Amino acid sequence: MLELEDIQHYLLARPNAVIAQYNFITFHNAEAGRKWVEALIPTVGTAQSVLAANPNDMRWVSLAFTWNGLQKLGVSEEELATFPEAFRQGMAARAAMLGDTGINHPDNWEDNMASEDLHAVVILFARDKDERERCIKKHQEYLDQTPGVEILSTLLLEAVPPLDYVHEHFGYRDRITTPVIEGMVIGAKGEVAISTGPKEESRIPEFTSTSPGSHLPSKPGEFFLGYPDETGVIPLQPQPEVLSKNGSYLAYRKMQEHVGAFRNFLKQNGKTIEEQELVAAKLMGRWRKTGAPLVLSPDKDDRELGFDNQRNNNFDYEKMDPHGYACPVGSHCRRMNVRDTSVSRIMNRRLIIRRGGTYGPYLPDDAPDDGANRGIAVFAGCADISRQFEFLISVWANDPEFEHLNERDPFAGSIDGAFEVTIPKRPIKKKLKGLQAFTTVRGGAYFFLPGIKALKYLASLQ
Amino acid sequence: MSDNNNSWATPAALALPKEGYFELESGRYGPTFPKTPANYGFTIIVKVKEGREDIIREYGKTIEAAVKDSPNVLEPLKLHFLRWVLFDVGSGLHFMYQGIFDTDFDKYMEDAIALFNSTGVTTVFVNLEGFPEDWKTNIDAVTKFFREHQRPSFLEYGEYPYVSAAEVKSALKLKAAFSEMLDQMQ
Ligand code: HEM
């Protein structure tokens, strides 16, 4: 049973917010850091409080730390050594393995992401701009009280218009699929209960009712430390238990989206709007405007299908599209969730909970690329950075040998310069060559998102 | 890569330095080993626990049955060949586990552990000295065990170098389809 009163809400309840801000923080000394953590604890929303709150009330913050940050706060060397290697090293140190080379290399990252001084991130959500101003002001007051704590960088996240559907800058509808956690149901009055079936009424439908064809509900230990995972037992945890219990890891990834290059690509490869939409869908595995899966609707978009969560995940690749004639093997969705037992039998151990949003100015459909920095800034929540996040990026997104394609994921891949995309087609496959990268990695880091008791423990360290 | 040219047509040999790699490249769990004309692979040699020979030999049959039962059971591991050998050259009984793969084993470590578990293979390692007791949950410890007992090659040769199992299979399928076509044209 998940301890919802101790778990930060971030991975469980998606705030009803169109604006967020990430404040990346450095501590100049332990005492100041601890004081700042202590001051913020009352504002950190637990899963329970956020689920019970008025949906319009989203003044909650989330608070997570890098390994360097935990060290700076005074966690003992002995305890620090019990954290997994990936987290201890940090994302920048593992760039070569992840595939972040060339222009994607940490030397080129922004926002001081590769800095040893990056110690924490505060995620602030807001319903609107005024609310955000108020939150930022409030956070600034905390900072003013603790001169040894400073903002290294900030990033403003704002939904891309039109706001009638959630999408990123290329225009792809997002937030369709997400893992479901076993045993979690929130009753109509906000009471927490154990799930007895997919039909329970709930305040957070995405976590309580699985849409047909998606993964079976995950064991809580796949995302929260201190619980049994898919092996049936509780894996070894960092020490002391009060620090790790109810915590999760967040792998942060900031990727710039080159919207102009992407639109040019569509124009070069499609004469009509319909052809362009088909090419866009082939890269993603889902139709752009609706998210309708290509496997179920290979030739044209289907709005009803896209928005019907009883159907929009109800497919596999192995039996329904083994050669990728509908959905290319190298498309983003097919790489990130293979739905094919010849590729993986342990898909349930490779899941991440995706959080985050888009940053940078909206580029209207007919506007030429203005060169502005825009993209996605996402956190992948998991219990094992290496097995879950790093595997997805280093193998399924960036390993040229994945399914013998000699390519990378057109979106999540770290592409440097020109690249290729194979679109299986009869009689012979179509290979689109010399494409300019659509995305560039601009930053990344590994954070630990502690439970509330753990935050108190950190604040009380001597 | 074989996809792009006819490198498969020219046999190739590659001598490797003592470490088994030319340049240190890290995977998620430690150094990775390069692709050679004989693809990727490993040779793991470990001392067998006292009195376990028969149990280990029995596992040969377990694997045979598992694959017969479900021919695709090992597919996610991207394997070409496995070779298990028991030998004693005067220092006690040792188990040699040699595998030829299409990918570095670092990448599919968790898949391998899960598969071994489901086919009963893992228990073969339990009969080897030093295999971690908590192998089910401690991937780091299992990986460390394999790495410590890995004996890298210093020469690898391929008569049809760098070819993946998938390519071999699709070439043979194509051949079968052609002969079928020729039959039909008689
Ligand atoms: C600019 C880069 C990216 C873009 C434009 C993008 C876009 C999308 C879109 C539109 C979807 C389909 C919506 C859905 O199924 O909910 C999706 C799915 C997904 N993406 Fe990304 N993504 C990007 C980067 C990443 C990264 C870096 C990761 C990994 C950390 C990732 C992991 C996933 C996963 C796991 C899915 C779900 C696939 C499924 O279950 O079918 N994406 N992405």
Side-chain angles (χ1 to χ4, degrees), chain A residues 168-170 172-178 215 251 253 255-257 284 286 291 313 315 317 332-334 336-337 339 347 350-352 354 375-376 378 380 389 392-393 409 411-413 438-439:
Chain A
E168 43 65 65
H169 287 285
F170 297 138
Y172 288 102
R173 179 171 173 231
D174 205 348
R175 299 196 192 162
I176 302 162
T177 42
T178 190
H215 315 282
R253 208 83 173 141
M255 298 190 81
Q256 183 174 358
E257 301 187 88
M284 183 58 73
R286 289 183 181 273
N313 267 302
F315 63 93
Y317 300 117
H332 178 57
C333 288
R334 191 160 178 167
M336 294 290 103
N337 178 7
R339 300 176 196 242
M347 193 57 228
R350 306 293 192 194
L351 301 177
I352 53 172
R354 292 178 291 140
I376 61 157
V378 293
F389 170 78
L392 291 182
I393 296 298
D409 185 316
F411 301 106
F438 305 147
T439 59

Side-chain angles (χ1 to χ4, degrees), chain A residues 40-178:
Chain A
L40 278 181
I41 290 174
T43 67
V44 174
T46 64
Q48 192 161 51
S49 58
V50 171
L51 290 167
N54 173 340
N56 289 324
D57 183 4
M58 277 302 154
R59 296 163 294 124
W60 311 106
V61 312
S62 303
L63 195 50
F65 304 88
T66 61
W67 188 79
N68 288 332
L70 295 180
Q71 185 175 46
K72 197 76 188 186
L73 288 175
V75 176
S76 74
E77 290 303 321
E78 209 181 11
E79 290 165 356
L80 285 166
T82 63
F83 280 85
E85 190 166 8
F87 178 64
R88 295 199 312 262
Q89 292 183 341
M91 190 186 285
R94 295 167 75 84
M97 179 272 294
L98 287 168
D100 295 341
T101 53
I103 192 170
N104 302 289
H105 190 271
D107 285 351
N108 304 317
W109 287 1
E110 307 166 339
D111 307 336
N112 286 313
M113 274 306 112
S115 163
E116 298 260 308
D117 296 330
L118 173 62
H119 293 148
V121 61
V122 189
I123 303 166
L124 308 158
F125 290 102
R127 198 176 49 238
D128 53 32
K129 280 209 166 110
D130 291 347
E131 176 76 10
R132 181 178 67 97
E133 289 309 318
R134 200 194 60 77
C135 291
I136 290 171
K137 235 177 98 202
K138 192 91 189 153
H139 186 231
Q140 193 56 49
E141 284 169 24
Y142 290 125
L143 288 173
D144 292 343
Q145 287 163 21
T146 44
V149 177
E150 230 182 296
I151 293 186
L152 268 185
S153 62
T154 63
L155 189 68
L156 172 63
L157 289 287
E158 223 168 331
V160 179
L163 298 181
D164 54 349
Y165 75 113
V166 180
H167 59 286
E168 43 65 65
H169 287 285
F170 297 138
Y172 288 102
R173 179 171 173 231
D174 205 348
R175 299 196 192 162
I176 302 162
T177 42
T178 190

Side-chain angles (χ1 to χ4, degrees), chain B residues 44-57 85-88 91-96 124-131 145 149:
Chain B
I44 287 156
I45 301 177
V46 196
K47 192 154 191 218
V48 174
K49 284 183 184 166
E50 207 57 54
R52 303 288 178 93
E53 175 168 1
D54 292 346
I55 303 178
I56 291 185
R57 289 195 188 278
V85 181
L86 280 169
F87 64 90
D88 183 349
S91 51
L93 190 67
H94 281 72
F95 174 68
M96 182 176 88
V124 85
F125 299 118
V126 175
N127 300 297
L128 305 176
E129 288 189 358
F131 193 68
F145 171 84
H149 294 91

Side-chain angles (χ1 to χ4, degrees), chain A residues 74-324:
Chain A
V75 176
S76 74
E77 290 303 321
E78 209 181 11
E79 290 165 356
L80 285 166
T82 63
F83 280 85
E85 190 166 8
F87 178 64
R88 295 199 312 262
Q89 292 183 341
M91 190 186 285
R94 295 167 75 84
M97 179 272 294
L98 287 168
D100 295 341
T101 53
I103 192 170
N104 302 289
H105 190 271
D107 285 351
N108 304 317
W109 287 1
E110 307 166 339
D111 307 336
N112 286 313
M113 274 306 112
S115 163
E116 298 260 308
D117 296 330
L118 173 62
H119 293 148
V121 61
V122 189
I123 303 166
L124 308 158
F125 290 102
R127 198 176 49 238
D128 53 32
K129 280 209 166 110
D130 291 347
E131 176 76 10
R132 181 178 67 97
E133 289 309 318
R134 200 194 60 77
C135 291
I136 290 171
K137 235 177 98 202
K138 192 91 189 153
H139 186 231
Q140 193 56 49
E141 284 169 24
Y142 290 125
L143 288 173
D144 292 343
Q145 287 163 21
T146 44
V149 177
E150 230 182 296
I151 293 186
L152 268 185
S153 62
T154 63
L155 189 68
L156 172 63
L157 289 287
E158 223 168 331
V160 179
L163 298 181
D164 54 349
Y165 75 113
V166 180
H167 59 286
E168 43 65 65
H169 287 285
F170 297 138
Y172 288 102
R173 179 171 173 231
D174 205 348
R175 299 196 192 162
I176 302 162
T177 42
T178 190
V180 176
I181 297 171
E182 196 173 84
M184 245 211 81
V185 153
I186 307 298
K189 298 192 198 87
E191 72 277 22
V192 177
I194 294 190
S195 165
T196 52
K199 286 209 181 96
E200 298 256 4
E201 203 180 344
S202 80
R203 296 273 307 274
I204 43 167
E206 58 171 336
F207 276 95
T208 51
S209 58
T210 55
S211 86
S214 0
H215 315 282
L216 292 173
S218 296
K219 296 274 188 283
E222 291 296 315
F223 303 104
F224 300 101
L225 305 194
Y227 296 89
D229 65 17
E230 295 285 323
T231 63
V233 296
I234 304 176
L236 279 186
Q237 301 297 341
Q239 295 303 316
E241 194 189 320
V242 60
L243 178 56
S244 60
K245 175 85 185 186
N246 291 325
S248 302
Y249 294 100
L250 297 178
Y252 175 64
R253 208 83 173 141
K254 180 184 185 192
M255 298 190 81
Q256 183 174 358
E257 301 187 88
H258 308 292
V259 177
F262 175 76
R263 289 181 185 163
N264 285 343
F265 163 79
L266 297 188
K267 286 195 193 108
Q268 280 158 16
N269 290 285
K271 286 189 240 22
T272 61
I273 298 286
E274 289 73 29
E275 276 179 28
Q276 291 175 15
E277 284 305 323
L278 179 62
V279 173
K282 291 281 187 188
L283 296 172
M284 183 58 73
R286 289 183 181 273
W287 290 90
R288 198 149 62 133
K289 305 263 161 56
T290 70
L294 272 178
V295 172
L296 296 181
S297 188
D299 304 316
K300 57 177 195 342
D301 197 356
D302 181 341
R303 171 162 294 270
E304 220 173 286
L305 168 66
F307 284 86
D308 180 352
N309 65 12
Q310 294 301 298
R311 290 194 293 148
N312 61 15
N313 267 302
N314 203 4
F315 63 93
D316 79 348
Y317 300 117
E318 185 172 14
K319 292 192 198 70
M320 298 170 79
D321 186 27
H323 303 289

Side-chain angles (χ1 to χ4, degrees), chain B residues 30-112:
Chain B
T32 57
F33 298 93
K35 189 172 191 176
T36 76
N39 290 315
Y40 295 95
F42 57 67
T43 304
I44 287 156
I45 301 177
V46 196
K47 192 154 191 218
V48 174
K49 284 183 184 166
E50 207 57 54
R52 303 288 178 93
E53 175 168 1
D54 292 346
I55 303 178
I56 291 185
R57 289 195 188 278
E58 215 32 56
Y59 279 110
K61 292 185 191 141
T62 309
I63 304 302
E64 179 185 324
V67 174
K68 203 167 176 181
D69 213 39
S70 160
N72 298 327
V73 62
L74 298 178
E75 197 176 4
L77 298 186
K78 332 279 172 207
L79 263 168
H80 283 250
F81 304 107
L82 284 185
R83 191 155 273 178
W84 287 11
V85 181
L86 280 169
F87 64 90
D88 183 349
V89 285
S91 51
L93 190 67
H94 281 72
F95 174 68
M96 182 176 88
Y97 179 151
Q98 216 171 30
I100 306 273
F101 296 83
D102 279 326
T103 178
D104 189 86
F105 108 123
D106 185 272
K107 289 176 190 153
Y108 293 91
M109 193 61 211
E110 298 100 349
D111 296 80

